[in-house]
Amino acid sequence: MTNDASPNASQDKRARLARRALLSATAAALVASKVGQSDSLAAHSASESLPDLPMGLSLDFAELEHGIDDTHHVADGYRADVLLRWGDPLFADAPAFDPGALSAQAQSKHFGYNNDFIAYFSLPLGSERANHGLLCVNHEYTNTDLMFADVGGGQPYKISNRRHMEVEMAAHGHSVVEVMRDSAGLWSFVQDSAYNRRLMASGPVMTLAGPAAGHDRLKTSADPTGRSVIGTFNNCAGGKTPWDTCLIAEENIHYYFAGDPRGGDETSNHLSMGLTQELRYAWSKFLDRFDVTKEPHEPNRYGWVVEYDPYDPNSVPKKRTALGRFKHEGATTALAKDGRVVVYSGDDQTYQYIYKFVSTRKYDPENRANNQDLLDEGTLHVARFEEDGRLQWLPLVWGNGPLTRRNGFHSQADVLIETRRAASFMGATPMDRPEDVKTNPVTGSVFVSLTKNPFRRQHRVDTANPRARNRGGHIIEMTPPGGEGANADHGADVFTWNVFLLAGDPSDVRYGASYHPGVTEHGWLTNPDNMAFDPQGRIWIATDGATDFDTADGIWASEVRGTARALTRYFFKCPIGAEMTGPAFTPDGETLFCSVQHPAQDNGSTYEKPATRWPDFKNGVPPRPSVVAITREGGGSIA
Ligand code: FEO
Ligand code: CA
Ligand code: CA
């Protein structure tokens, strides 16, 4: 979901089209200086054959071409099959999908809307099976005007009746679905699996755990304990723990609350999280808990990372308050050299921060039960990028430095509930909208995508956010000390960092984009968001925002080191209006799952006339956000 408006791109488009054919010399020089690569390699056109590709490039697929149409595309030699669609029945007693008769009851048994993060967990637990597992999928938000015939266009988040709201709430959250790959290589889901589960905005009841649990600021009239909360929503990305539980992040939680956030004790907290009087979702019209004038603490119970056990459909999800409260894009785990658990997370808003939690206790690989509450105790840190290439992780600990009563922090719970304010006091580096943070299993380094910041002014440019009016976004590589792979010490207080690429169209010098100079006219990307690494450590970058550049979002792949570093290549293209989210590989690297989110959004779409009816293309059936399984024709690793 886009957090902030982009400047109108139409003017830029005309100038850009005139220049698109050429990579400018200025852009190539920028690449050489920023990315640190030789500029001896000439730019390649998309029509060039594979033997001409630069040395060090192992990604042996023919690139797609930029452009937009009504369906998805994958590089030649691969297939991209729709596996799970909004409305697919997940349970034996679930009714068939009927877009003309949506109900909360049916939706609670169906695959949710706007699939985002995907995690693959092998079945059985503890195995590395790549053809049988659980897909754990977030459902971030709803395009209500494209779901219902009787919700007007132009007001995508405003609804008029309780049925709409109840369907919306059931379409949010998360799904657990058993999936299998047959001997022909095709994936399908198991409709009546005992593992299948829905987590929704309307439930189940979850536990608030960790240092802020039970604090007065988490208490409401419905929950005087401050420890029990209904459901989860706006689940963007997430992560997997080493003990095979699933983490799901709560991101843009402000959209769901209404009522004047000013005037009470929580005013600055609510304003900093983006709450306004404006009605976006209309849940507050029907449920008092979403009206902050009636329940000022309810927003404090969202904006956390939720952990649950996908292998136990009866497990109670827990919101891990020790990881802080902000607009969590995701939650990616790693290990410190001594076995403590690290969780990385970006806060997706312009000028917000990148965080790292380090547990107090160590991961126990021999006893899964011993790890279940590891994320309740530890130290949250925030990143400060130094100009000399060092990255300092600053601890957010009550009583430490400015995090005291004098500044309104009366306990660690206050530091965690208002993590953003604590991070600002500590001198963290304000970033260009942090999205995914992912660890590379081969190199041990950590990549963070910054999706964009068109509002950054020249006087606020710094070495980690080097462009004013950053429309394309960028990717930074953060390197822990200790060595490669498992030797990397993610628990260290000081890392180093460098810019991996500056995204955008390199044929337009105004964007200051910077890649390997061999990137083709189709190999550039814009607005990096989610990322995945394949078993060889190559990066697969999903984008959210290409519509502003009159092209489609999708997946681009690149080497991360060697002579072909940052030479991105276009692999998968979304249908019109869709954003690419959730890329996830099976353990063998033979399947890449991805989420096509909000097909047809914007582009003049209405329920009657959406820009595409992907993936069914049937009259009367609205566009359906869906999970796609990408495999190689004839079998084998992706690329
Ligand atoms: Fe939901 Fe940060 O994208
Ligand atoms: Ca995004
Ligand atoms: Ca995202």
Side-chain angles (χ1 to χ4, degrees):
M1 185 196 280
T2 298
N3 257 345
D4 43 44
S6 297
N8 189 320
S10 61
Q11 257 188 314
D12 295 340
K13 177 188 172 186
R14 283 191 295 275
R16 186 170 66 256
L17 288 176
R19 281 188 288 268
R20 183 166 275 175
L22 291 174
L23 280 169
S24 75
T26 309
L30 257 170
V31 168
S33 63
K34 296 269 177 47
V35 186
Q37 296 296 315
S38 157
D39 62 356
S40 62
L41 296 160
H44 291 254
S45 79
S47 60
E48 282 175 312
S49 59
L50 293 172
D52 292 335
L53 289 171
M55 264 172 44
L57 184 69
S58 63
L59 294 157
D60 62 345
F61 59 84
E63 283 194 277
L64 301 177
E65 295 188 354
H66 273 294
I68 310 181
D69 62 23
D70 64 354
T71 193
H72 67 285
H73 302 269
V74 68
D76 274 353
Y78 294 85
R79 52 185 302 153
D81 300 310
V82 176
L83 171 60
L84 278 162
R85 301 162 202 238
W86 163 52
D88 277 345
L90 301 184
F91 303 92
D93 61 346
F97 177 60
D98 180 353
L102 301 181
S103 72
Q105 222 232 341
Q107 181 62 74
S108 67
K109 296 172 188 286
H110 286 169
F111 193 64
Y113 202 86
N114 272 347
N115 30 228
D116 199 303
F117 169 74
I118 301 171
Y120 174 87
F121 289 86
S122 296
L123 280 173
L125 171 63
S127 75
E128 285 280 301
R129 278 181 72 177
N131 61 356
H132 186 197
L134 301 173
L135 277 196
C136 299
V137 184
N138 278 346
H139 304 293
E140 189 184 24
Y141 69 108
T142 49
N143 291 86
T144 308
D145 57 336
L146 300 181
M147 297 170 74
F148 295 96
D150 56 345
V151 170
Q155 300 182 333
Y157 307 116
K158 294 180 185 174
I159 58 172
S160 55
N161 68 47
R162 196 174 182 108
R163 180 179 71 97
H164 295 143
M165 178 203 68
E166 289 173 347
V167 173
E168 280 186 331
M169 293 185 82
H172 278 68
H174 186 82
S175 292
V176 182
V177 190
E178 184 178 347
V179 293
M180 307 186 84
R181 192 179 186 194
D182 66 19
S183 55
L186 295 180
W187 285 94
S188 61
F189 71 94
V190 181
Q191 182 178 341
D192 55 353
S193 165
Y195 291 106
N196 290 357
R197 187 176 191 191
R198 285 298 321 281
L199 307 177
M200 297 169 286
S202 45
V205 170
M206 305 182 175
T207 300
L208 285 154
H215 191 275
D216 283 350
R217 295 178 72 184
L218 298 186
K219 292 176 181 169
T220 63
S221 46
D223 172 30
T225 71
R227 295 177 184 276
S228 177
V229 56
I230 299 171
T232 183
F233 51 81
N234 212 275
N235 307 98
C236 197
K240 294 171 69 172
T241 66
W243 51 97
D244 286 314
T245 59
C246 189
L247 302 176
I248 61 180
E250 297 179 334
E251 194 191 42
N252 291 302
I253 57 111
H254 59 298
Y255 289 132
Y256 303 85
F257 295 93
D260 192 345
R262 294 164 301 181
D265 293 345
E266 298 287 347
T267 299
S268 65
N269 171 29
H270 289 341
L271 292 179
S272 104
M273 285 293 281
L275 271 68
T276 68
Q277 284 197 76
E278 185 194 352
L279 205 59
R280 287 166 284 195
Y281 286 86
W283 299 1
S284 62
K285 290 202 318 200
F286 309 100
L287 296 172
D288 283 352
R289 69 188 179 101
F290 292 103
D291 182 339
V292 294
T293 64
K294 294 172 181 157
E295 289 292 349
H297 291 164
E298 188 71 358
N300 292 348
R301 294 142 63 83
Y302 300 89
W304 305 103
V305 170
V306 185
E307 180 180 7
Y308 79 93
D309 183 354
Y311 294 95
D312 177 2
N314 298 312
S315 61
V316 176
K318 294 181 178 175
K319 299 196 179 190
R320 300 298 185 186
T321 65
L323 276 57
R325 174 175 171 267
F326 46 92
K327 295 180 184 174
H328 285 275
E329 164 70 22
T332 295
T333 63
L335 290 176
K337 202 67 172 283
D338 60 9
R340 290 173 299 157
V341 180
V342 171
V343 186
Y344 295 102
S345 191
D347 183 353
D348 183 4
Q349 191 165 315
T350 54
Y351 295 119
Q352 289 300 326
Y353 310 115
I354 298 164
Y355 297 88
K356 176 180 91 163
F357 168 85
V358 184
S359 70
T360 301
R361 290 188 297 124
K362 295 174 185 174
Y363 165 57
D364 180 353
E366 307 302 326
N367 188 338
R368 187 171 188 244
N370 283 353
N371 302 311
Q372 293 308 312
D373 293 318
L374 274 186
L375 301 185
D376 278 347
E377 201 185 328
T379 304
L380 185 63
H381 302 73
V382 66
R384 186 165 73 205
F385 292 81
E386 307 289 3
E387 295 214 346
D388 62 5
R390 283 178 310 130
L391 164 55
Q392 305 229 44
W393 290 106
L394 311 170
L396 301 177
V397 176
W398 181 66
N400 179 21
L403 306 184
T404 59
R405 288 199 167 83
R406 169 186 284 220
N407 291 316
F409 298 104
H410 298 277
S411 67
Q412 184 64 18
D414 285 335
V415 170
L416 296 170
I417 291 167
E418 293 188 79
T419 301
R420 289 178 160 189
R421 199 163 68 85
S424 295
F425 270 113
M426 291 299 291
T429 304
M431 307 298 288
D432 287 347
R433 272 189 67 184
E435 293 263 22
D436 220 350
V437 186
K438 281 284 164 65
T439 56
N440 187 317
V442 176
T443 67
S445 63
V446 187
F447 286 68
V448 56
S449 58
L450 294 312
T451 202
K452 66 178 170 186
N453 185 355
F455 310 113
R456 187 175 288 272
R457 308 273 287 277
Q458 189 62 44
H459 72 276
R460 294 195 69 180
V461 161
D462 57 40
T463 49
N465 301 276
R467 291 185 288 182
R469 196 170 174 261
N470 177 5
R471 290 186 53 206
H474 58 293
I475 299 178
I476 287 176
E477 180 179 19
M478 311 186 289
T479 308
E484 298 198 337
N487 288 322
D489 186 1
H490 294 276
D493 292 333
V494 181
F495 288 15
T496 57
W497 67 273
N498 65 83
V499 174
F500 179 64
L501 60 78
L502 303 177
D505 179 353
S507 73
D508 188 330
V509 293
R510 290 172 306 167
Y511 298 133
S514 164
Y515 305 81
H516 184 288
V519 81
T520 72
E521 64 179 305
H522 303 293
W524 64 266
L525 60 97
T526 184
N527 307 110
D529 192 331
N530 295 141
M531 299 172 285
F533 289 96
D534 64 28
Q536 297 176 59
R538 299 171 302 189
I539 192 169
W540 299 72
I541 304 161
T543 68
D544 170 18
T547 306
D548 290 346
F549 291 76
D550 306 301
T551 189
D553 282 310
I555 298 178
W556 282 256
S558 174
E559 313 285 344
V560 299
R561 59 184 177 187
T563 52
R565 173 180 154 99
L567 202 171
T568 48
R569 292 175 58 74
Y570 197 0
F571 181 69
F572 179 87
K573 184 193 292 193
C574 286
I576 187 168
E579 144 186 10
M580 183 89 285
T581 57
F585 284 94
T586 47
D588 60 1
E590 291 199 7
T591 300
L592 174 57
F593 298 107
C594 58
S595 281
V596 173
Q597 194 188 70
H598 58 73
Q601 180 176 285
D602 303 327
N603 294 284
S605 288
T606 60
Y607 184 87
E608 293 74 23
K609 209 168 174 198
T612 180
R613 292 191 184 274
W614 187 89
D616 295 348
F617 296 106
K618 283 188 192 145
N619 280 338
V621 178
R624 300 169 76 182
S626 300
V627 169
V628 169
I630 302 173
T631 52
R632 193 169 200 147
E633 283 173 359
S637 296
I638 302 279

